Amino acid sequence: MKNTILAGTLAAMLAGCSACPVNDFPAKEAAIESSPQRGTGDLGIVIERTGSVLIVENSGDTVLGRVENMGDLSHAAAVFSRDQKYAYVFGRDGAVTKVDLLTQKIDKRVVQAGNSIGGAISADGRIVAAQNYAPGGVKFFDADTLELLSEVSTLDEKTGKASKVVGLADFPGNRFIFSLFEAGEIWEADVSDPRKPIVTKHKQIGKQPYDGLGGGNGRYYIAGLFGEDGLAMLDLWKPTPKVQRILGGYAHDQNTVPIYKMPHLRGWSISDGKAFLPAIGLSQVLVADVRNWQQTDRISVAGQPVFVMASPDARQVWVNFAFPDNGKVQVIDVPSMKVVHSMEPCKGVLHFEFAPRSEEVWLSCRDDHKVQVYDTQTFRLKAELKADSPSGIFFTNRAARIGM
Amino acid sequence: MARWVQTLILPLALAATAGIALTQTVSAESRASQGQTQTTSHQPRNNPLSDARQHELISLLRDDCGACHGMTLQGGLGLPLTPEALQDKDPQSLVLTILDGRPGTPMSPWRRFLTEDEARWMVQQLQRGLPTQTH
């Protein structure tokens, strides 16, 4: 009997294992037709605020195509499937749109909230999480089908109001961590069973967290606080992580300025054991040593920083600014902690993105309707691409980053 | 924190969700203090704004107010600024919110960039509804 089964199994394996769920390859011709033969490692998308997305490539710095009917992309963010074939775009209108980068078509789309701000994808690539302003909360979707799997509500039963969710980032162990703007809390959601998320709440973390980041390859979660001068940090490598205040009192005795645009925090800001963080209300970038979270430097810059992002090789930190300095960009050299380059490339620099090996950086020029590509070694303008009111630029190498 | 102190000494221009009665009581005080705090004056009072300036202000509403309130002004981290959301609000208190911000919230004072007439014109546009976007 046993021998018969073994023989049968062996025969099935040799025959191609008709009972196995794998190896069901489509015909080669069909695959080519639906999916042009090229890699996706040098691809990316540029959000056009008018409601479309450009598919771009950073080997020759060109636009490959445009995907339209994406809804309200006046503020949008994107993450990528782990095979870097699909982009998941989170639109302001609460839509999650799965875009096939190779066919340049919308694969799936769900309108999941009234007003959304961004999202993240789980470590195993199977769960897409969307963070919402209205009606608040986080929703979890199947990354293949965009079927809703579960949701975590941020409704405060005492006030009857739901907190806006900001700073959602993925963490190892299929966890997502995010902050609650009104409640002043940081929540960890373990979605090992994506239909039954387990939530751990950290309360009283500080006033008005406006964004958060996952850094240090999943070790740290940091929330920026609007309502006080400090940041809230969780060290996830601790047996029982507790929120710790870092850089408290950084604005003490400083001349503060009004904020005309909230800074954005992303996991790119940790380089060479140092965290580079925007100071709220100051024209400064704060630098902290991640070993002890003490401030090591305070770098004066041209305005209120919005994005403070390290290049993937960690050599440079590029900074853009809030209104009225949003036409400026500055570059901090990490070894010397000095601003080594200042430029005014175009009007309304909303975002920038480095090529995966750091050799070039793309800037979106909202008011000039173009994207500019700069050489990061020489700061020379390499290319300009037409784009309609461009904002976010996202390259596929984000798929392999923790804390995006 | 110095920023709060700085913001709190500005007139308490509570609008939007604040009670109208409170808003009205502080508006008089705010108006009285404008002589000292107003530093920019692009336009003499009651003069119509130039087409170019109107265009700039519409862009400001969409792009810079929109950074928090949403480019379509449906709301974001900031409250919605649609005609429906603003229909019951006192225009003058909205003008003062724009010029002086709202202490304790991320709403910053814009007086450095706008005259009172310009802020009033912006409130009119918001309460009427912005034209469909073109560029």
Side-chain angles (χ1 to χ4, degrees):
Chain A
M1 182 65 185
K2 201 173 174 184
N3 284 347
T4 317
I5 293 169
L6 275 175
T9 309
L10 188 62
M13 282 167 74
L14 291 170
C17 186
S18 60
C20 294
V22 291
N23 296 346
D24 185 23
F25 294 116
K28 201 177 176 191
E29 296 75 17
I32 289 171
E33 194 184 324
S34 66
S35 183
Q37 293 293 290
R38 93 181 298 295
T40 56
D42 60 351
L43 296 189
I45 62 169
V46 175
I47 305 290
E48 294 185 305
R49 301 199 317 160
T50 43
S52 49
V53 158
L54 298 179
I55 312 280
V56 296
E57 57 83 30
N58 55 42
S59 294
D61 300 334
T62 60
V63 174
L64 300 178
R66 174 181 271 127
V67 180
E68 294 183 323
N69 301 316
M70 295 284 295
D72 179 356
L73 298 186
S74 56
H75 183 291
V79 296
F80 295 94
S81 61
R82 60 195 276 124
D83 62 3
Q84 306 184 8
K85 177 170 158 60
Y86 297 101
Y88 299 90
V89 180
F90 305 89
R92 184 67 341 128
D93 55 2
V96 180
T97 309
K98 184 182 177 190
V99 176
D100 185 324
L101 300 177
L102 292 175
T103 62
Q104 302 175 6
K105 287 190 168 63
I106 293 174
D107 181 72
K108 301 250 167 12
R109 178 175 164 82
V110 291
V111 177
Q112 54 89 34
N115 193 329
S116 182
I117 188 66
I121 188 162
S122 62
D124 66 4
R126 294 168 69 177
I127 305 152
V128 168
Q131 58 178 336
N132 296 317
Y133 277 171
V138 174
K139 288 188 179 177
F140 301 106
F141 298 89
D142 181 297
D144 286 334
T145 62
L146 294 189
E147 175 205 353
L148 178 66
L149 299 172
S150 58
E151 62 183 288
V152 170
S153 168
T154 53
L155 185 71
D156 181 333
E157 287 177 0
K158 282 185 203 151
T159 64
K161 288 186 177 173
S163 279
K164 298 183 191 82
V165 174
V166 299
L168 173 73
D170 65 281
F171 277 78
N174 272 5
R175 278 176 302 171
F176 292 100
I177 304 186
F178 50 92
S179 299
L180 280 63
F181 178 74
E182 286 83 356
E185 297 181 5
I186 294 174
W187 289 9
E188 294 177 52
D190 181 335
V191 289
S192 300
D193 178 351
R195 292 189 184 274
K196 288 180 187 157
I198 299 166
V199 177
T200 307
K201 300 176 183 178
H202 300 271
K203 300 196 171 185
Q204 296 182 320
I205 60 105
K207 286 181 196 155
Q208 295 168 316
Y210 62 85
D211 199 3
L213 69 87
N217 283 328
R219 176 165 180 179
Y220 306 111
Y221 179 83
I222 300 173
L225 301 175
F226 178 81
E228 48 194 291
D229 51 350
L231 297 96
M233 192 274 293
L234 263 182
D235 181 349
L236 280 310
W237 286 13
K238 294 266 172 72
T240 48
K242 286 202 168 53
V243 171
Q244 177 187 338
R245 177 61 39 85
I246 60 170
L247 303 178
Y250 64 70
H252 182 65
D253 288 343
Q254 302 279 322
N255 291 320
T256 55
V257 294
I259 315 297
Y260 293 104
K261 183 177 166 82
M262 285 286 185
H264 285 55
L265 303 175
R266 285 282 98 178
W268 308 102
S269 66
I270 295 181
S271 158
D272 195 32
K274 301 278 175 71
F276 293 76
L277 300 162
I280 278 274
L282 300 176
S283 297
Q284 293 176 355
V285 171
L286 304 173
V287 187
D289 187 326
V290 300
R291 287 171 305 182
N292 55 20
W293 295 99
Q294 296 301 304
Q295 182 182 304
T296 59
D297 290 274
R298 190 189 273 272
I299 302 167
S300 290
V301 288
Q304 167 70 50
V306 174
F307 283 99
V308 177
M309 290 199 282
S311 54
D313 68 3
R315 177 65 202 261
Q316 296 175 339
V317 171
W318 286 54
V319 187
N320 74 335
F321 303 99
F323 176 89
D325 300 304
N326 56 6
K328 298 174 186 169
V329 171
Q330 289 190 310
V331 182
I332 296 167
D333 174 58
V334 171
S336 66
M337 292 287 165
K338 288 196 161 51
V339 173
V340 290
H341 189 68
S342 300
M343 57 185 191
E344 295 198 31
C346 53
K347 282 163 65 185
V349 180
L350 286 193
H351 190 228
F352 51 93
E353 177 86 330
F354 295 96
R357 299 277 283 260
S358 312
E359 78 284 359
E360 64 182 34
V361 64
W362 291 39
L363 306 181
S364 58
C365 304
R366 177 192 68 199
D367 299 346
D368 291 344
H369 301 291
K370 63 189 178 189
V371 168
Q372 292 188 333
V373 184
Y374 286 88
D375 184 312
T376 53
Q377 302 299 304
T378 62
F379 306 117
R380 184 179 59 86
L381 180 65
K382 285 177 72 178
E384 282 195 338
L385 291 71
K386 272 191 196 169
D388 200 1
S389 192
S391 63
I393 305 171
F394 305 93
F395 290 152
T396 52
N397 62 309
R398 285 173 176 255
R401 292 276 307 230
I402 298 171
M404 285 289 106
Chain B
M1 179 175 171
R3 181 159 50 85
W4 294 128
V5 179
Q6 206 178 56
T7 320
L8 284 166
I9 59 169
L10 287 166
L12 274 168
L14 299 172
T17 53
I20 294 293
L22 175 60
T23 308
Q24 283 169 347
T25 56
V26 297
S27 329
E29 181 197 330
S30 305
R31 270 193 293 272
S33 67
Q34 273 165 21
Q36 290 121 43
T37 49
Q38 189 162 353
T39 51
T40 55
S41 184
H42 304 294
Q43 296 282 336
R45 201 175 167 80
N46 298 328
N47 258 19
L49 305 175
S50 70
D51 286 352
R53 185 59 182 159
Q54 289 186 12
H55 187 80
E56 279 174 17
L57 293 179
I58 292 288
S59 294
L60 189 84
L61 278 170
R62 285 194 193 289
D63 293 333
D64 299 301
C65 303
C68 284
H69 297 279
M71 192 173 83
T72 53
L73 305 172
Q74 304 286 322
L77 206 56
L79 298 168
L81 300 181
T82 53
E84 301 74 47
L86 300 179
Q87 63 184 356
D88 296 330
K89 310 294 179 204
D90 170 28
Q92 182 60 18
S93 70
L94 294 175
V95 168
L96 293 173
T97 296
I98 292 174
L99 293 174
D100 299 325
R102 290 187 66 195
T105 78
M107 179 65 191
S108 283
W110 291 77
R111 193 181 282 283
R112 188 180 145 200
F113 309 103
L114 300 168
T115 65
E116 186 169 350
D117 285 342
E118 287 173 342
R120 185 171 296 112
W121 185 84
M122 290 165 79
V123 167
Q124 286 166 4
Q125 299 305 307
L126 288 173
Q127 290 195 313
R128 187 182 301 160
L130 293 196
T132 311
Q133 189 180 21
T134 53
H135 53 240

